[in-house]
Amino acid sequence: MARKEKTGSRESPAQVQASSPKTTAPRTVSNIKEPSEREKKKQNFIVRTVWTLVMIVFFVAILGAGHIWVIALVGLIQILTFKEVINLSSEPAREKRLPWGRKLNWYFLATTIYFLEGENLIYYFKNVVLVDSLLLPLAIHHRFLSYCLYIIGFVYFVYSLEKGHYKFQFTQFCITHMTLFLVVIQAHFIVNNIFAGLFWFMVPAALVICNDIFAYLCGITFGRTPLIAISPKKTVEGFVGAWICTIVFGVILSHVLIQYSYIICPMEDLGQSVFNHPQCTPDPVFLAQIYRVPPFLQTIINKETIELAPIHIHVMFLATFASLIAPFGGFFASGLKRTFQVKDFGDTIPGHGGITDRMDCQFLMGFFSYLYYESFVSNHHLSVTSILQLAITSLSTEEQIQLVVALEKYLHSRGVADSRILESLAT
């Protein structure tokens, strides 16, 4: 009976909960809210804009510092681009198993840069006439020595092949050489553009940047038709609109730049800068000429002739390539990133990704600009540097002395040189 009373007096769960002291479990309340998608885009836009301005200021400072610093910038860009592309296919586990694989990639890069730029470093050096007996053989046999260096790397690569790693090693070898061809070799011709004058470096680079900006603006404004599957956000309307805007921008930019001798004059001294640079006779391509207007346009502009510098016409062709062909360098890079399932090539530039993400179109544009300049603009005049280079590499010491004596006799006959110089050379 007592047990029943005890059982009957059992409290309900609600009563037990009401009578028992309240015990609150510790809870951590986070006041940090995850940023919304709109806020992320806003932050990314701010970072991207700030670093764009930083890059513009840095680029202008490099241009003012002189040609040698612009060449150094191109060299740094090609090295960083090479590193980012090589890292796409890297496999740390296998690279530890094959410790010389990564070093071999850099060896091929150094060999290629030496082959392409070695002669320029020798013959455009300010005191090239003082090349001593140790450096002279390197100058004369530069290409043969470069080939020997490459063959050493090639033989070592074949020797280092290990069973079970063939696919990885040959993949690295192919990507390395693809990058050398598409990046380093094309960057070499960009350096040649700098020697021809900063105009042929600045304008092509600016056209690519302008086209990229206007393609984005025109695309988000009235873009409707997809352009290419590998890059779904690109539209035909943005593609065509950017082409027109880039041509207008190129003509305006070239009209401004041809006013400055520092921009249009060829490079003569590695030490020259915006504060210290030689004057030159402007190339006829930068001087205004009179052109006859086609009959169907005469009624529209009410003019029979027009005064125009030929460079503006050339820039229109450069702008067309920058708008219609150079973007395929970016499409190629997009396909490469999708192959290795990465968003960007790196995070070198905050808000922009890697160097390759910004320079993928510039290499194609730089190579085309060099070929266009050599084919349609350059007068192929001999320079003191080219003649001196030819005399050093092709003439013996006795023939070089004969050349100096003959040149001195010619200058003496014109009353330019002192006869005492001629007598000292004769002895």
Side-chain angles (χ1 to χ4, degrees):
M1 186 70 184
R3 181 176 297 177
K4 287 182 180 180
E5 291 178 356
K6 186 176 181 180
T7 304
S9 62
R10 181 180 299 174
E11 296 178 346
S12 64
Q15 292 174 331
V16 172
Q17 185 176 0
S19 60
S20 62
K22 294 183 179 180
T23 58
T24 57
R27 292 188 305 170
T28 58
V29 180
S30 177
N31 294 325
I32 301 176
K33 295 182 179 179
E34 288 291 331
S36 63
E37 190 67 24
R38 184 176 181 180
E39 291 176 345
K40 289 181 179 179
K41 290 183 178 181
K42 181 179 178 180
Q43 293 174 0
N44 183 67
F45 177 78
I46 295 174
V47 172
R48 190 183 183 95
T49 303
V50 169
W51 276 94
T52 298
L53 297 176
V54 170
M55 288 189 293
I56 291 174
V57 173
F58 177 75
F59 182 69
V60 172
I62 291 294
L63 288 175
H67 294 67
I68 184 62
W69 292 102
V70 180
I71 294 173
L73 175 64
V74 174
L76 177 63
I77 288 174
Q78 67 180 353
I79 291 173
L80 293 177
T81 302
F82 179 86
K83 177 184 177 182
E84 291 177 353
V85 175
I86 292 300
N87 285 340
L88 283 183
S89 61
S90 63
E91 297 182 21
R94 293 202 182 191
E95 288 174 354
K96 291 181 180 179
R97 177 70 178 82
L98 306 168
W100 285 99
R102 181 56 64 91
K103 295 181 176 64
L104 199 57
N105 293 335
W106 289 101
Y107 176 83
F108 282 127
L109 173 65
T111 301
T112 305
I113 293 179
Y114 174 73
F115 169 69
L116 295 173
E117 309 299 345
E119 288 181 308
N120 289 334
L121 292 177
I122 294 173
Y123 296 119
Y124 284 92
F125 191 70
K126 187 174 183 178
N127 298 319
V128 65
V129 294
L130 300 179
V131 174
D132 56 25
S133 58
L134 177 63
L135 296 179
L136 186 58
L138 296 178
I140 296 175
H141 307 296
H142 172 75
R143 297 184 181 182
F144 178 78
L145 293 175
S146 300
Y147 178 76
C148 291
L149 291 173
Y150 175 81
I151 287 298
I152 291 173
F154 178 81
V155 170
Y156 184 80
F157 168 76
V158 177
Y159 178 78
S160 66
L161 291 173
E162 291 190 14
K163 186 177 181 180
H165 300 281
Y166 293 154
K167 184 176 181 180
F168 173 75
Q169 288 179 291
F170 275 103
T171 299
Q172 289 287 309
F173 184 83
C174 293
I175 291 180
T176 298
H177 282 71
M178 179 198 74
T179 309
L180 292 176
F181 173 74
L182 294 178
V183 175
V184 181
I185 292 179
Q186 294 192 115
H188 165 69
F189 293 102
I190 296 178
V191 173
N192 288 344
N193 292 339
I194 299 172
F195 289 135
L198 287 177
F199 181 92
W200 300 102
F201 168 75
M202 292 176 57
V203 171
L207 290 176
V208 171
I209 297 173
C210 168
N211 181 259
D212 188 42
I213 294 174
F214 279 108
Y216 173 76
L217 294 177
C218 294
I220 63 175
T221 303
F222 48 81
R224 296 292 182 272
T225 310
L227 176 66
I228 188 170
I230 195 66
S231 189
K233 294 183 180 180
K234 303 294 183 182
T235 62
V236 175
E237 293 81 4
F239 198 67
V240 176
W243 175 26
I244 298 172
C245 295
T246 303
I247 290 178
V248 175
F249 170 82
V251 173
I252 296 174
L253 178 65
S254 61
H255 178 73
V256 174
L257 293 181
I258 61 177
Q259 311 298 324
Y260 303 96
S261 59
Y262 176 67
I263 302 298
I264 64 176
C265 289
M267 172 182 165
E268 295 182 3
D269 186 355
L270 285 178
Q272 66 189 55
S273 67
V274 69
F275 303 107
N276 176 29
H277 62 88
Q279 299 294 323
C280 67
T281 302
D283 191 290
V285 75
F286 298 115
L287 302 177
Q289 299 181 16
I290 297 177
Y291 293 90
R292 185 171 181 81
V293 178
F296 70 92
L297 289 178
Q298 291 180 7
T299 56
I300 299 177
I301 65 175
N302 199 23
K303 287 185 178 181
E304 294 184 357
T305 60
I306 186 172
E307 190 176 9
L308 184 69
I311 189 60
H312 299 319
I313 300 176
H314 293 301
V315 167
M316 291 181 185
F317 286 103
L318 293 176
T320 298
F321 184 90
S323 303
L324 304 184
I325 306 300
F328 282 85
F331 301 152
F332 178 88
S334 298
L336 191 61
K337 288 187 289 186
R338 293 180 189 278
T339 300
F340 291 96
Q341 299 179 351
V342 295
K343 181 181 179 182
D344 296 314
F345 282 95
D347 54 357
T348 308
I349 310 174
H352 291 268
I355 295 292
T356 313
D357 296 289
R358 299 275 66 84
M359 300 298 163
D360 45 15
C361 303
Q362 294 286 0
F363 296 110
L364 280 180
M365 187 67 204
F367 193 7
F368 174 80
S369 300
Y370 168 80
L371 295 176
Y372 187 92
Y373 171 80
E374 290 293 324
S375 300
F376 304 106
V377 179
S378 176
N379 294 320
H380 300 285
H381 290 315
L382 291 176
S383 63
V384 175
T385 304
S386 61
I387 295 174
L388 185 59
Q389 175 181 344
L390 186 63
I392 292 176
T393 57
S394 303
L395 300 179
S396 63
T397 304
E398 292 77 11
E399 291 172 332
Q400 291 171 3
I401 295 176
Q402 292 177 11
L403 176 63
V404 174
V405 172
L407 183 60
E408 181 62 31
K409 287 182 178 179
Y410 170 75
L411 294 176
H412 177 67
S413 65
R414 296 187 57 186
V416 178
D418 193 347
S419 59
R420 290 175 295 180
I421 300 177
L422 184 60
E423 293 174 359
S424 64
L425 290 173
T427 56

